[in-house]
Amino acid sequence: MLFDFSCANGACADYNPVLLQGVRGYPGIRARINPRAFQYASGLIADLLNQEIKRARIPPITQNIPQVQGCVQIYNLYVSRYRCPQRTVLYPAPPNRLVMQVQNVDIGITGNLGGQVVILLPIPLSGIIQLNVHQATITVELVLERSATGAPYARLVSCNVQTGYTDAYIENGGIIGDIINSQFRQRISSQVREMIPGQICGQLPSIINEKLNSKLAQLPQAIAVTQMLSLFSGALPLGGPSPTEQYCQTQCRARGLATQLTATP
């Protein structure tokens, strides 16, 4: 903030003319975030992820299988197993980006299996599908921009998901489920592993808009000076409490006595 109380040629100005060169809506106060603040934010994000992942709403999945002229549907999906990530970190990247990385997390997903395959005759699919993802690492890069209203806005620019091991199998699927588990379990697990990055990264933009940008849009873009003074008055020794009458009398007596002792030869 720039303040300048000066007079030139008989005309006084109560602000610095440099302020006229700025753009309305741009910041008038800048704050610097140190590494400790990013460490604190990483802890908050880790706690938030632990809560949100457990109650995540997973959309149904439909996959065509042309080899057997069939279609597989997986619905009522929910997170049934979850191990917290080994490390969650948030750090800045030039020029105006934030990188969030979730390292070594395990997730188990359970859902109902439906659809049918054609092997001589149409055969319905049923049962419960179990999907386990181990040692997954998710790296997300966001860029901070300014929205049309002037509020900060986070936009997803890159998303990378790496999984160490993926396993998918069917429970209570009858004879067809047993055949799929024994003959195609490894192949299905590999296909699921290839599908996971697209499913996760495809959901992130809506999550960012709902959980992050909605909060950023509520940040105030103008703060009154009186509010700033009241905010900093508790942290800075501005003014201070007024002395009481008893305090003044005690101090005056002490000073008067000291003056008399000094004046006595």
Side-chain angles (χ1 to χ4, degrees), residues 156-210:
L156 179 68
V157 293
S158 67
C159 174
N160 182 31
V161 180
Q162 297 179 352
T163 57
Y165 173 70
T166 304
D167 183 31
Y169 60 94
I170 300 174
E171 292 181 345
N172 303 326
I175 298 178
I176 298 300
D178 294 339
I179 294 175
I180 293 176
N181 288 335
S182 61
Q183 301 295 327
F184 305 102
R185 182 170 181 172
Q186 185 175 0
R187 181 183 302 178
I188 294 175
S189 299
S190 299
Q191 293 178 351
V192 170
R193 182 179 181 180
E194 296 176 357
M195 184 178 60
I196 286 176
Q199 292 291 329
I200 294 178
C201 295
Q203 296 294 322
L204 283 181
S206 60
I207 295 176
I208 292 173
N209 288 331
E210 179 182 356

Side-chain angles (χ1 to χ4, degrees), residues 25-40:
Y26 278 19
I29 301 177
R30 292 187 177 182
R32 182 176 182 178
I33 303 177
N34 56 24
R36 292 295 298 272
F38 283 102
Q39 294 176 6
Y40 177 74

